[in-house]
Amino acid sequence: MRYLDWLQSVVVAVFRTAVGVAFVVLIVSVLWQVIGRLTGNSPVWTEELTRFALLYLAAIGAGLSLRTGELVNVDVVVESLPERAAWWLRLVSAVLVAVLGLYLLPMAWQFTSIGWFQSSPTLGLSMGWVHLTMFLMLALLAFFAVLRIVAMLAGTSDGRPTQLFQDEEI
């Protein structure tokens, strides 16, 4: 289990960094766009770069959000059930997310492959890099769902999301 914990911590660190990079690109692009509009010289490529950065931000953040419980969830129903029933529902939910993500991966890769033959209008970037966000999102959702399933079945987790910060009493 230590290897699984190490793997998860490395993947989380890498993708948190990637989310940070995407966010910085988004911020710089928008600032460049706003300053350009104020000066009357707004480059057209900033619009496109902003959209691409937002896609990467959402795609990478989806898996991390599954891990931390920041995706839309129906906790009211699950947490009102007895603990054993809630555990089973969390397990079934994780299995469904993993199965759906893995099932859709080949189709997302086909979508990505089509993008390699196209390029974006202003940046000239291969659209495969943009379409890759769908594949990445599904892969990360499936990956973190599988990690949750393994941890639940190994008894090291109750399936509840991993909190980033613990509430502190003042």
Side-chain angles (χ1 to χ4, degrees):
M1 206 53 168
R2 288 184 188 266
Y3 175 74
L4 189 62
D5 292 339
W6 175 83
L7 176 67
Q8 183 172 347
S9 66
V10 168
V11 169
V12 166
V14 166
F15 286 108
R16 278 187 183 166
T17 302
V19 164
V21 169
F23 197 56
V24 167
V25 168
L26 179 71
I27 290 170
V28 169
S29 179
V30 168
L31 281 174
W32 196 322
Q33 188 176 50
V34 168
I35 291 170
R37 287 185 181 171
L38 292 175
T39 62
N41 186 17
S42 180
V44 69
W45 57 264
T46 57
E47 294 268 350
E48 202 167 86
L49 184 60
T50 299
R51 283 191 296 272
F52 296 166
L54 188 58
L55 282 171
Y56 270 94
L57 186 68
I60 296 168
L64 294 172
S65 296
L66 175 69
R67 181 178 173 271
T68 59
E70 294 168 349
L71 288 177
V72 174
N73 210 346
V74 192
D75 289 347
V76 174
V77 174
V78 175
E79 297 306 321
S80 67
L81 296 172
E83 180 54 33
R84 193 72 186 146
W87 185 91
W88 277 103
L89 279 178
R90 287 190 293 270
L91 180 65
V92 167
S93 174
V95 167
L96 289 174
V97 168
V99 167
L100 185 62
L102 292 171
Y103 173 75
L104 291 173
L105 273 179
M107 289 160 261
W109 185 251
Q110 183 180 13
F111 176 65
T112 301
S113 298
I114 292 168
W116 295 120
F117 300 106
Q118 304 167 342
S119 62
S120 66
T122 59
L123 288 174
L125 183 71
S126 172
M127 290 302 289
W129 292 111
V130 178
H131 294 176
L132 185 64
T133 59
M134 296 303 105
F135 182 85
L136 190 59
M137 180 185 65
L138 292 168
L140 288 173
L141 283 171
F143 176 77
F144 283 109
V146 167
L147 285 181
R148 182 175 289 174
I149 293 164
V150 169
M152 287 179 76
L153 295 177
T156 60
S157 171
D158 61 1
R160 286 187 173 91
T162 305
Q163 298 299 318
L164 287 177
F165 307 103
Q166 299 298 325
D167 293 334
E168 296 180 13
E169 291 187 32
I170 297 176

